[in-house]
């Protein structure tokens, strides 16, 4: 299952001022929407970590939201402690997912994880 995230879902992790500033700060005509760009990057990261596993959609969305919100705030140079903490937690949980530490998840096929020695 692929992660899904919209800009309106970022409102729980970013202030309205941060979202507005991110869409206008330093942009030239024809530039991509930085919020959409960060959402796309966060979704790709989550999908990569979750590849081959069946994960609840809410978890995927939460991880993508926390990553995208942090990256948007970082572009503005104003990531707060909550955003940093949520970003770090999301990355840690994604690494745990990749490494097979969530015992109750099913896989959709053979998933290789761990260090090179384990895979070979």
């Amino acid at each position: 299952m692929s992660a899904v995230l919209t800009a309106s879902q970022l409102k729980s992790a970013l202030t309205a001022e941060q979202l507005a500033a991110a869409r206008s700060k330093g942009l030239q005509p024809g530039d991509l929407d930085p919020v959409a760009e960060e959402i796309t990057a966060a979704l790709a990261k989550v999908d990569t970590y979750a590849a081959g596993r069946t994960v609840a959609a809410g978890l995927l969305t939460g991880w993508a939201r926390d990553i995208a919100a942090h990256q948007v705030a970082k572009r503005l140079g104003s990531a707060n402690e909550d955003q940093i903490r949520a970003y770090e937690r999301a990355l840690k949980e994604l690494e745990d997912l990749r490494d097979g530490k969530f015992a109750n998840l099913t896989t959709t096929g053979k998933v290789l994880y761990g260090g090179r020695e384990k895979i070979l």
Side-chain angles (χ1 to χ4, degrees):
M1 170 178 279
S2 294
V4 178
L5 181 66
T6 63
S8 66
Q9 290 171 307
L10 287 179
K11 291 178 182 175
S12 65
L14 290 170
T15 66
E17 294 80 22
Q18 284 177 312
L19 279 171
R23 288 195 164 120
S24 62
K25 183 179 180 182
L27 291 180
Q28 303 299 319
D31 284 351
L32 296 175
D33 176 11
V35 174
E37 192 175 8
E38 293 301 345
I39 287 173
T40 302
L43 290 172
K45 181 174 279 201
V46 169
D47 286 345
T48 299
Y49 275 95
R53 302 203 180 271
T54 303
V55 183
L59 282 173
L60 296 173
T61 299
W63 290 327
R65 182 198 59 235
D66 293 341
I67 292 168
H70 175 267
Q71 295 303 97
V72 168
K74 187 175 149 188
R75 277 185 177 217
L76 298 170
S78 63
N80 63 35
E81 283 298 316
D82 290 339
Q83 292 162 339
I84 294 168
R85 209 171 16 260
Y87 172 76
E88 290 171 348
R89 188 199 78 245
L91 287 182
K92 173 69 172 119
E93 289 177 2
L94 285 169
E95 288 169 359
D96 288 348
L97 174 67
R98 177 199 61 202
D99 295 341
K101 294 183 181 176
F102 290 126
N104 295 332
L105 295 178
T106 60
T107 61
T108 57
K110 187 171 181 179
V111 177
L112 301 176
Y113 58 88
R116 182 173 174 81
E117 299 79 29
K118 285 185 177 180
I119 294 173
L120 297 177

